[in-house]
């Protein structure tokens, strides 16, 4: 029984396998209620430097540019003395092809 569905990492040449965060959120919403709770997999996003997070756990989302922002709820040993460890925002990027034309244009110019 699957307990989560994993969104692909942001690695070269994998965009055709990836979903935008908003697509994953819509998919998660669509499967809720059709299966018993224990059999409903969660869709997780593996955010760099944060780890696996449910797709609804983001802190902020710029859907036009496809940038979602995430925070941590834990410190590693390397971050033990870092006062900003739990408030720092980490970025995850949607595949360019999933963005509206204005967002794709923004990325072309940057």
């Amino acid at each position: 029984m699957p307990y989560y569905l994993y969104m692909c990492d942001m690695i070269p040449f994998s965009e055709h396998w990836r979903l935008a965060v908003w697509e994953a959120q819509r998919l998660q919403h669509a499967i809720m209620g059709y299966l018993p709770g224990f059999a409903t997999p969660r869709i997780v996003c593996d955010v760099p430097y944060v780890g696996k997070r449910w797709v609804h756990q983001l802190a902020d989302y710029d859907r036009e540019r496809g940038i979602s922002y995430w925070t941590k709820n834990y410190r590693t040993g390397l971050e033990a003395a870092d006062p900003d460890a739990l408030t720092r925002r980490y970025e995850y990027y949607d595949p360019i092809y999933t963005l509206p034309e204005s967002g794709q244009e923004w990325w072309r110019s940057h």
Side-chain angles (χ1 to χ4, degrees):
M1 186 168 4
Y3 62 94
Y4 67 72
L5 301 173
Y6 185 76
M7 291 176 63
C8 290
D9 286 339
M10 297 183 300
I11 56 173
F13 310 110
S14 69
E15 276 208 3
H16 64 287
W17 292 109
R18 297 180 54 229
L19 295 174
V21 170
W22 67 267
E23 291 175 308
Q25 289 174 334
R26 186 173 65 188
L27 180 59
Q28 180 71 76
H29 181 76
I31 64 175
M32 297 297 288
Y34 287 97
L35 298 169
F38 67 88
T40 303
R42 302 283 185 215
I43 301 176
V44 298
C45 182
D46 191 9
V47 182
Y49 305 106
V50 176
K52 295 175 187 72
R53 293 286 178 261
W54 291 348
V55 292
H56 294 297
Q57 289 183 288
L58 49 83
D60 198 11
Y61 191 21
D62 180 344
R63 191 165 159 184
E64 181 180 359
R65 294 178 180 166
I67 306 170
S68 52
Y69 301 91
W70 306 74
T71 57
K72 295 174 115 171
N73 63 340
Y74 65 92
R75 284 186 171 94
T76 65
L78 297 173
E79 300 167 319
D82 182 358
D84 299 322
L86 301 183
T87 58
R88 186 173 294 114
R89 293 176 4 146
Y90 298 87
E91 297 175 349
Y92 184 87
Y93 302 98
D94 290 344
I96 299 295
Y97 76 89
T98 65
L99 305 181
E101 186 55 41
S102 58
Q104 292 183 30
E105 181 57 38
W106 186 85
W107 282 105
R108 279 192 285 275
S109 65
H110 287 82

